[in-house]
Amino acid sequence: MMYRFLAAAILLCFYGTYLGKMLCQRRRGIQTDQMAKGDKPSSVRRTELVMKVATFLLAAVQAVSVLCGWSMMPVSARAAGAVLGLVGDGIFLAAVYTMRDSWRAGIAQGQNTQLVHSGIYRYSRNPAFLGFDVMYLGVLLLCFNPLLLLCTLFAIAMLHRQILQEEAFLPTAFGEAYTSYCRQVRRYWGRRR
């Protein structure tokens, strides 16, 4: 029962942060959700649409897994999952906070955003996506079942594909500043020497 509560708390914190940030930005006239919107190449729109579906599908499977109390893992793995889930929440929260009003979901063509390279972005070019991945793995360990495993792997693969698309777009938005940033900071975690 304790692990179900922890999994639910991790999900509420994560998705609450996501939705809360979107609502705060909407009140200031900022359209956060750019997934599969705007004038984008069809391959980008398709990836963003599949990414959106994968995210919603996984959130639903996570919720059902928690509510049903599904878990095929020993207590030690579930404890590790709780730690990972909380770390994922923390990484995501730090990323969203550091981005301030430049945070978007999807490629934001034609939007006035700034290149953020302070805070957690000094150590990861994609900490929000890293937060997603770590939280996803944590909840997977907490509520392990085959359906959750498949949906988690699919969502993580789509997040990686989304990162690759965004990293192909960002040099056109920020030029040499982004290219220099890529030479200093790794995609997921770590600084280059």
Side-chain angles (χ1 to χ4, degrees), residues 4 10-11 36 40 44 61 80 86 90 95 123 127 156-157:
R4 285 175 68 185
I10 288 165
L11 292 174
K40 300 175 185 177
V44 171
V61 172
L86 292 170
Y123 306 101
I156 288 173

Side-chain angles (χ1 to χ4, degrees), residues 155-171:
I156 288 173
M158 289 309 302
L159 282 171
H160 182 71
R161 188 173 169 112
Q162 180 68 28
I163 287 170
L164 296 177
Q165 282 189 169
E166 288 185 12
E167 288 187 346
F169 165 76
L170 290 171

Side-chain angles (χ1 to χ4, degrees), residues 69-97:
W70 293 341
S71 182
M72 302 168 71
M73 287 298 209
V75 172
S76 59
R78 295 176 87 185
V83 171
L84 281 175
L86 292 170
V87 168
D89 281 0
I91 291 170
F92 183 71
L93 184 61
V96 169
Y97 176 79

Side-chain angles (χ1 to χ4, degrees), residues 2-3 6-7 10 75-91 131 134-142:
M2 176 182 73
Y3 290 110
L6 280 169
I10 288 165
V75 172
S76 59
R78 295 176 87 185
V83 171
L84 281 175
L86 292 170
V87 168
D89 281 0
I91 291 170
V134 174
M135 183 277 292
Y136 285 168
L137 293 173
V139 173
L140 177 64
L141 289 175
L142 279 163

